[in-house]
Amino acid sequence: MTGVRPAPVPAPPAGPVPRRRWAALVLLCAANFIVLLDSQSVILALPRLTDELGMAPVDAQWVLTAKLLTFGGLLLLGGRAADRLGRRRVFMAGTTLFLLSSAASGLAWTGGAVIAARAVGGVAAALMVPTALSILLNTFPEGRHRNTALAGWAGIGGIGATVGLLLGGLFTEVAGWQWVFFVNVPVALIVLLLTPVLISESKAAGQHGPYGVLGALTSTAALVLVILAVSRAAGSGWTSGQTLFPLAAAVLLAGVFAAVERRSAAPLLPPALLRRSTLVGGNLVTLCMGMATFSLSVSVAVYGQAVLGHGPMEFGALQSVMSFLAFVGAYAGQRVVTRMGFRPVVGVCLVLLCAGCLLLARVPADGSYLRDVLWGLVVFGPALGAGTAAASVAALSGIPERSSGVASGIVVAALQIGGALGVAVVTTVTATFSGPEPGPAGLTEGLQAAFTTCAVFVALGMVAAALTLRSRVKPARVR
């Protein structure tokens, strides 16, 4: 032996090469787009779907809720599977399952069949979305380029919501409610074909232990029971057995989840991540934003159609101003975050979100879109886009590569779970506070209370931000 060391072999570059990473971002955003499109378009198709399949109104809501619950409840498991099994592999598996569930939803012949297919679609989304966000984090280094990519990711939500509302009404009126689901099939197929070309395989090294299936199932079941209890409270009362029994069972399952997590060698919520104040704070803010945003969107749609008398297609176009401004706000917000840090952006956006909710809380029974709705949407929209982007930057700042899938799952789960809880609470508030007189006047009283409740959700986000997002450090720039 001469003692001469061999020259080190350079490590291969991680993820797509630079010239392909923006194309990869477009592909990942397209996957996020079809998931959001599927969630939004079915809202306008629901009345006709319910009539043709002979579903009772109490059962029809589960066409929306089934996907939301499995989506939010299994996101952490999806993120972990991506880190362990390979991010590209899990992303393609989720996209394939989403394609099949969309086709099954369009072919469903009973209400039970479409609800089951939607639940499977939620499982598919739980695999696709956190994996796509994890791939994004490992494709773009922390700093200006990642902030731009995250803004695009957040902004595509506004486009998906807008296009979903428009296409949902169009397909339902022209071709039938089935095409609200069938439209997902060709887009998912294109994503599947391009994924091996644009995205390299990656996984976290050195991770062992259980996947946390029991924890995921118990937490999801607890969430289902909470939503069920809150939904029943409007009709049976908060002190009835139909409300209290599901809540008690949810508390029991939450205790089981906590025990499983405490004993697990690889918990779904790793303690090391939960000790990051920015992760906790960013996700608490995202949770509160999700509660306010989903609830406000549903309440505005009810007010526009049931009180103002607009048709689904017409009001979908009118409501799209909020989604468009959210997209603009996401890009403007990420530039400010890069220069000033995420905390001031989150604070200003929460104030504007609360102001938008309070403006809408003044809607009258004899109102109009231009006078009573538009300005609330104009204030709420850009704050939603910028605030979501800033909260995502805060939550994912400094996350190590081996935990990016789980952290991404937490971020998306916070938004989905917040939406599920917010809609359940606001639906109950609307039913409780609606006036005794039938028609628009009584319904408007309940909707005013609903918009005020949305403002309360945002106020909770302000408290969470003040207590947890203390860092004023600016994100590192990429040289």
Side-chain angles (χ1 to χ4, degrees), residues 51-304:
D51 291 339
E52 293 187 11
L53 296 181
M55 299 176 66
V58 69
D59 298 327
Q61 66 172 331
W62 287 99
V63 177
L64 302 175
T65 307
K67 179 186 174 182
L68 191 62
L69 289 174
T70 53
F71 186 10
L74 299 177
L75 274 165
L76 298 185
L77 183 60
R80 169 162 294 172
D83 285 339
R84 299 280 190 85
L85 299 176
R87 298 183 179 100
R88 186 177 70 179
R89 181 182 304 168
V90 172
F91 177 70
M92 294 184 68
T95 305
T96 301
L97 189 61
F98 184 79
L99 186 155
L100 295 175
S101 67
S102 296
S105 297
L107 296 172
W109 61 97
T110 65
V114 73
I115 290 173
R118 294 287 291 171
V120 174
V123 176
L127 295 175
M128 291 173 63
V129 175
T131 306
L133 187 53
S134 177
I135 294 171
L136 184 153
L137 292 179
N138 288 283
T139 301
F140 294 89
E142 189 169 345
R144 179 171 58 89
H145 292 309
R146 180 184 288 185
N147 294 345
T148 302
L150 286 173
W153 175 272
I156 204 68
I159 297 177
T162 303
V163 176
L165 291 172
L166 297 176
L167 289 185
L170 177 64
F171 284 137
T172 301
E173 293 180 7
V174 175
W177 60 266
Q178 293 88 347
W179 283 93
V180 168
F181 305 112
F182 287 151
V183 70
N184 300 327
V185 174
V187 181
L189 184 59
I190 293 172
V191 171
L192 278 174
L193 293 175
L194 292 179
T195 296
V197 178
L198 297 176
I199 296 175
S200 302
E201 183 60 280
S202 65
K203 64 173 67 174
Q207 290 202 3
H208 306 284
Y211 281 84
V213 175
L214 180 59
L217 293 179
T218 53
S219 60
T220 303
L223 179 61
V224 170
L225 290 171
V226 169
I227 299 300
L228 182 64
V230 173
S231 300
R232 289 180 173 179
S236 58
W238 285 99
T239 58
S240 69
Q242 291 184 351
T243 302
L244 294 179
F245 288 156
L247 285 177
V251 172
L252 179 62
L253 285 174
V256 173
F257 171 73
V260 169
E261 288 286 283
R262 190 164 49 248
R263 296 176 179 227
S264 175
L268 280 174
L269 297 174
L273 288 181
L274 295 179
R275 286 192 289 269
R276 292 178 176 270
S277 62
T278 53
L279 178 74
V280 174
N283 281 292
L284 286 176
V285 171
T286 300
L287 178 78
C288 294
M289 284 185 179
M291 294 174 71
T293 301
F294 280 77
S295 304
L296 182 136
S297 298
V298 171
S299 300
V300 166
V302 172
Y303 179 75

Side-chain angles (χ1 to χ4, degrees), residues 298-324:
V298 171
S299 300
V300 166
V302 172
Y303 179 75
Q305 296 182 55
V307 178
L308 300 184
H310 294 287
M313 272 296 295
E314 180 186 10
F315 197 74
L318 295 174
Q319 192 174 348
S320 65
V321 63
M322 184 180 79
S323 301
F324 172 76

Side-chain angles (χ1 to χ4, degrees), residues 350 458-468:
L350 287 172
V458 178
L460 294 175
M462 294 179 183
V463 175
L467 295 177
T468 58

